[in-house]
Amino acid sequence: SQQGEEDPQALSIQEGENATMNCSYKTSINNLQWYRQNSGRGLVHLILIRSNEREKHSGRLRVTLDTSKKSSSLLITASRAADTASYFCATDTPNDYKLSFGAGTTVTVRA
Amino acid sequence: GAGVSQSPSNKVTEKGKDVELRCDPISGHTALYWYRQSLGQGLEFLIYFQGNSAPDKSGLPSDRFSAERTGGSVSTLTIQRTQQEDSAVYLCASSLWTGLSNQPQHFGDGTRLSIL
């Protein structure tokens, strides 16, 4: 079953704008990860945030985690056409290392 | 080094036939996962191998699905008597295992399976 749910399902922005997507989950987690998937390809790991962390940065990516609200957000700043992809959050729970993926947010960056 | 390799990249077969999908994980990765992704959907966990431990098969949708991992490396996912609802992209991933916490998973590009 899918624990994470991304919002919005789809997002279209102009190059240079920021893109924000959210992930909500149902049960307590160990870690939350964000992945990107380009069309016809496998998933690429972007960033992992642990349950005791609140914010993490990696290049143009900023991830926040609010365990009280059971939600996370992924911000992509100064978007580029190459950021066009689907973005998935994935969670794992204490004592179970399986990842549970959401249905993803499809981001289109217009040139 | 090489990433996760899956073969074939595409497979079209008739309903009722058996299919075998192959996954070559990254060398040194002891954890290996199989997922299924239907069109426009997220990933559905199928099975998980970790070292010499018994695999976690809790995600396999029916007894027509089975998987093995030989020598702790290459894995094959077998679907017997395929049905049209088996049509999907089958993704394999591998990761390091620390026993303490989850590690990022590295994915292959998947096998796109179409059942006619």
Side-chain angles (χ1 to χ4, degrees), chain A residues 2 30-31 33 35 37 40-45 48 50 88 91-92 96-104, chain B residues 33 35 37 40-43 45 48 56 58 91 97 99-110 112:
Chain A
Q2 292 180 343
N30 228 12
N31 306 288
Q33 302 183 40
Y35 287 81
Q37 184 179 34
R41 305 299 300 273
L43 278 71
V44 173
H45 179 261
L48 180 153
R50 305 196 188 283
F88 296 89
T91 57
D92 66 88
D96 185 355
Y97 297 126
K98 294 195 296 289
L99 287 181
S100 179
F101 286 83
Chain B
Y33 310 77
Y35 297 91
Q37 185 176 31
Q41 299 295 311
L43 275 66
F45 167 79
Y48 161 57
D56 179 346
S58 60
L91 291 162
W97 178 256
L100 296 173
S101 178
N102 221 329
Q103 296 296 311
Q105 295 184 16
H106 300 260
F107 284 78
D109 285 338
R112 185 174 300 276

Side-chain angles (χ1 to χ4, degrees), chain B residues 6-11 20-22 34 88-92 108-113:
Chain B
Q6 290 188 246
S7 61
S9 53
N10 285 283
K11 177 74 176 177
E20 263 192 14
L21 313 180
R22 177 186 166 108
W34 282 99
V89 177
Y90 289 82
L91 291 162
C92 173
D109 285 338
T111 293
R112 185 174 300 276
L113 178 64

Side-chain angles (χ1 to χ4, degrees), chain A residues 72-91:
Chain A
S72 173
S73 68
L74 171 65
L75 168 68
I76 306 172
T77 60
S79 62
R80 304 167 182 168
D83 295 328
T84 294
S86 292
Y87 292 82
F88 296 89
C89 67
T91 57

Side-chain angles (χ1 to χ4, degrees), chain B residues 5-62:
Chain B
S5 176
Q6 290 188 246
S7 61
S9 53
N10 285 283
K11 177 74 176 177
V12 180
T13 193
E14 292 179 346
K15 176 182 167 182
K17 301 284 189 187
D18 297 352
V19 294
E20 263 192 14
L21 313 180
R22 177 186 166 108
C23 173
D24 253 301
I26 292 173
S27 177
H29 281 190
T30 57
L32 187 148
Y33 310 77
W34 282 99
Y35 297 91
R36 179 169 69 176
Q37 185 176 31
S38 300
L39 189 64
Q41 299 295 311
L43 275 66
E44 174 190 3
F45 167 79
L46 296 178
I47 189 168
Y48 161 57
F49 296 89
Q50 166 47 34
N52 295 322
S53 303
D56 179 346
K57 304 179 181 180
S58 60
L60 294 178
S62 77

Side-chain angles (χ1 to χ4, degrees), chain B residues 74-96:
Chain B
V74 171
S75 176
T76 55
L77 175 69
T78 301
I79 309 173
Q80 295 177 308
R81 304 181 303 281
T82 52
Q83 304 293 312
Q84 286 185 331
E85 62 261 28
D86 299 335
S87 295
V89 177
Y90 289 82
L91 291 162
C92 173
S94 70
S95 71
L96 292 169

